[in-house]
Amino acid sequence: MWDVEIRGMASAHAIVASSIFMATVMPAVFVENFSVYGTHMVWLHCVAGSVAVVNIAVFWLLGISPQTKKNTLSYKLNRLFRSCLYFLLSCLFFHTVVVLYGAPLLESALETFSLAVLLSTLTTLRCLCILGPNVQAWIRVFSRDGAMSVWDTSLQITTGCSVIGAWLGALPIPLDWDRPWQIWPISCTLGATTGFLTGLLAAPVWIHWHRKQLTYKLK
């Protein structure tokens, strides 16, 4: 059972990771002089959009999303509305946090909000796909010993890696190196994306390595 779940997770993570690769390669066909540095905002939006679409499709096809007792159209629309609202609130939250940590307030507002959208896509969107618009479930998963499945553990790892990656990416910005990747918010978006990819790789490996110690209990 463990091996089947871990293999399924590894396959899903590989598909999501490949979407970032495709978002980095494909725009070069349509955008002249495309590069991660030179046309960074285009790359950022392509990565965020690609990861969002693939995440939603993969979790829907795997049936990871929580089952609902109600199947009425009004209930589904309500869940969709709440999911969109939570995602928007997440974008505003990350935008506020980034500004409080020293990002330009008005000068680069679009770039800052785009970074917030990327962070929300790498973290909050996965919460919505795995747990649904259920704040109590989110709090449970990110509390001590709150994971109830391998997907909950995966969510903890990928979210933590994405946020830490963005934070580490901000460290070189003040340094007087005059490198193109020091322009705001390139290093942060690269750090967040690298952290996310690291989490996608590390989660199945960590869960497989610690599978004998992990005990998931229904709460």
Side-chain angles (χ1 to χ4, degrees):
M1 183 64 181
W2 275 100
D3 291 337
V4 173
E5 287 186 304
I6 294 173
R7 281 198 298 267
M9 175 188 298
S11 300
H13 284 191
I15 295 172
V16 175
S18 67
S19 71
I20 297 178
F21 173 76
M22 294 301 295
T24 303
V25 174
M26 290 300 294
V29 179
F30 306 100
V31 180
E32 186 177 357
N33 299 323
F34 173 81
S35 68
V36 174
Y37 296 155
T39 55
H40 184 70
M41 294 301 292
V42 175
W43 175 83
L44 189 159
H45 295 150
C46 288
V47 169
S50 178
V51 170
V53 171
V54 172
N55 258 317
I56 294 172
V58 166
F59 286 115
W60 180 73
L61 290 173
L62 290 178
I64 302 301
S65 301
Q67 300 296 322
T68 59
K69 296 180 179 179
K70 299 179 181 179
N71 291 318
T72 62
L73 178 60
S74 60
Y75 181 75
K76 292 180 179 179
L77 290 176
N78 179 265
R79 281 177 58 86
L80 177 61
F81 173 77
R82 286 191 292 137
S83 297
C84 294
L85 177 61
Y86 290 174
F87 185 83
L88 175 60
L89 292 175
S90 172
C91 293
L92 296 176
F93 169 77
F94 277 119
H95 183 94
T96 302
V97 170
V98 171
V99 169
L100 291 176
Y101 267 87
L105 177 60
L106 299 176
E107 182 180 353
S108 303
L110 177 60
E111 289 80 359
T112 303
F113 189 74
S114 296
L115 170 61
V117 172
L118 177 65
L119 285 171
S120 295
T121 302
L122 302 180
T123 59
T124 305
L125 181 64
R126 287 178 65 83
C127 290
L128 291 169
C129 290
I130 295 175
L131 304 173
N134 186 343
V135 177
Q136 291 182 341
W138 297 11
I139 295 173
R140 169 187 55 78
V141 167
F142 291 101
S143 63
R144 182 177 178 84
D145 299 325
M148 291 169 49
S149 69
V150 294
W151 291 103
D152 289 353
T153 304
S154 166
L155 187 59
Q156 294 172 337
I157 295 173
T158 55
T159 299
C161 288
S162 300
V163 174
I164 293 173
W167 178 74
L168 292 176
L171 297 181
I173 292 179
L175 301 179
D176 189 20
W177 292 347
D178 294 327
R179 294 291 188 265
W181 48 265
Q182 288 181 279
I183 299 174
W184 176 255
I186 294 178
S187 61
C188 289
T189 56
L190 292 178
T193 305
T194 303
F196 180 67
L197 289 171
T198 302
L200 291 177
L201 174 63
V205 175
W206 190 92
I207 294 171
H208 177 76
W209 187 263
H210 294 86
R211 65 188 185 280
K212 293 183 179 180
Q213 289 78 33
L214 292 175
T215 55
Y216 298 118
K217 297 180 180 179
L218 295 177
K219 301 179 181 180

